[in-house]
Amino acid sequence: MTESKSRRRGAELERAILDAAWAELSELGYARFTVEGVAARAGTSKPVLYRRWKGRAELALAAWSRRVPVSDEVLDTGALRTDMIALFTHLSRRAGAMMTEIVAGVMADAFRHPEVAELLRERLARPFSLTETVTAVVNRAVERGELPPVELPHRAARAPLDLVRNEYITCGGGPLDEAVIAELVDDVYLPLLRGLGSACTD
Amino acid sequence: MTESKSRRRGAELERAILDAAWAELSELGYARFTVEGVAARAGTSKPVLYRRWKGRAELALAAWSRRVPVSDEVLDTGALRTDMIALFTHLSRRAGAMMTEIVAGVMADAFRHPEVAELLRERLARPFSLTETVTAVVNRAVERGELPPVELPHRAARAPLDLVRNEYITCGGGPLDEAVIAELVDDVYLPLLRGLGSACTD
DNA sequence: ACCCCTAAGATACGTTGCGTTTCTTATTGA
DNA sequence: TCAATAAGAAACGCAACGTATCTTAGGGGT
């Protein structure tokens, strides 16, 4: 009755399900994210979901992947330090609480189901435009003369996201404090960049 | 029958339970770690456990905390880089897979039960002797003249563990590859240390 | 325009594991 | 000696996973 309108199929249905899944994730978090809940919200039933995804972890990842945010516009505040503060702040909002909970939850499930671990790794490895963004910011600093010429290794370019994620993991909870971001930038990341530049000192 | 010998109580019983819990964690991982399993292994029953810990997350944390590994002996290989490789390798073995799985699992539970989040944070914040170890290694390097005098900020001292943990999270699975460790040391951590030293260059 | 076959939707099931309740019985210690 | 305390055993209710069964809608080929 509720849905005697029309029976959705294929791609349309899939979109509806993933939208519902994302809504559940956003409202409840992964911990309270249930397959039944998604089915109910999408106005369909569990078997329909299980025909498409192997379990709740895969469903959550699929929903998350559709929302790849990204395209971090390259901000230019005029100085390296403030650029970095802005970048870290941006990351901490974008990639913060939601992502950490999903990652934690999916990861926990992944230890049971190795296939899921693989999917998660793919999702996390996707560096979206981060590498490019960081490189751009650093290059600008080099041009300005704030840094000696730097060859930015892959891991160093990824480090901002890693630092932010780590902070979430170990300190849980809310969005990152300004003071914390300042520490990450001043005590870790800027020194790292300076160190990369002065590689000739050894 | 099995235990008509003597009914354990108090501290003795608690030790037995936590030993059993640790054994379960080690053999099965957090994903397959169950309260029932621990009770069975310890030769007792669930209510006894629930009288002491609020749930399986707390139980796992308690078991883990008893095993504070630690006392990383301060190794001295004669050079900063090899010291660091050794330290990272040590961390990757000690704190690696097991810890990551526990953290992921407990964290997932923690999103449901905020009290658990607090416990987890305490546990993670405990820097065991890591800070001291890193500081010692760095100080030796300074004495040798490999680094300019460095004031090591807290976050920089913790970074090795963070880097290792991150690698586990994003790359999953087994113990860290030698090559990966070398990258972490050469591309990230040593530059960071050099950068901290050359703070005067700005 | 018809019919068939695929896939959607509904329902109900079996299982696992959490956390609880109830009751019995051993041990401690006053 | 005996009462209070806590251990041990068994069973329960609940939530959620993942599955199996069945009915029915509607798209596509003829």
Side-chain angles (χ1 to χ4, degrees), chain A residues 181-196:
Chain A
I181 289 182
E183 273 185 53
L184 292 178
V185 170
D186 293 328
D187 290 352
V188 183
Y189 203 60
L190 290 182
L192 167 53
L193 290 177
R194 283 196 300 266
L196 285 169

Side-chain angles (χ1 to χ4, degrees), chain B residues 58-132:
Chain B
E58 284 198 16
L59 177 55
L61 280 178
W64 183 28
S65 292
R66 275 172 55 81
R67 299 293 160 140
V68 196
V70 210
S71 77
D72 313 280
E73 73 287 11
V74 184
L75 17 106
D76 187 348
T77 64
L80 174 59
R81 179 171 186 277
T82 45
D83 273 6
M84 279 301 164
I85 299 269
L87 174 61
F88 274 68
T89 304
H90 176 76
L91 283 177
S92 111
R93 282 193 216 171
R94 260 270 181 246
M98 172 96 273
M99 169 172 148
T100 302
E101 178 169 3
I102 295 177
V103 170
V106 173
M107 195 167 26
D109 288 351
F111 282 101
R112 255 183 223 270
H113 310 292
E115 338 86 62
V116 172
E118 188 47 39
L119 289 176
L120 176 60
R121 240 168 288 143
E122 276 168 29
R123 184 63 184 76
L124 284 176
R126 190 189 311 179
F128 34 119
S129 49
L130 178 65
T131 307
E132 287 82 351

Side-chain angles (χ1 to χ4, degrees), chain A residues 16 35 45 84 105 125 156 178 197:
Chain A
V35 178
S45 61
M84 279 301 163
E178 269 184 44

Side-chain angles (χ1 to χ4, degrees), chain A residues 153-172:
Chain A
H154 180 237
R155 264 174 223 285
R158 287 193 47 122
L161 180 56
D162 293 341
L163 289 171
V164 168
R165 187 191 299 126
N166 230 322
E167 204 55 35
Y168 270 101
I169 290 175
T170 54
C171 300

Side-chain angles (χ1 to χ4, degrees), chain A residues 7-23:
Chain A
R7 191 175 270 190
R8 294 157 302 178
R9 303 203 145 214
E12 182 196 358
L13 178 58
E14 192 157 322
R15 257 189 302 108
I17 294 172
L18 290 177
D19 286 346
W22 181 249

Side-chain angles (χ1 to χ4, degrees), chain B residues 3 7-10 13 44-45 47-48 51-52:
Chain B
E3 50 72 50
R7 192 176 268 191
R8 294 156 303 178
R9 301 199 148 218
L13 178 58
T44 182
S45 60
V48 175
R51 273 168 210 143
R52 283 160 212 270

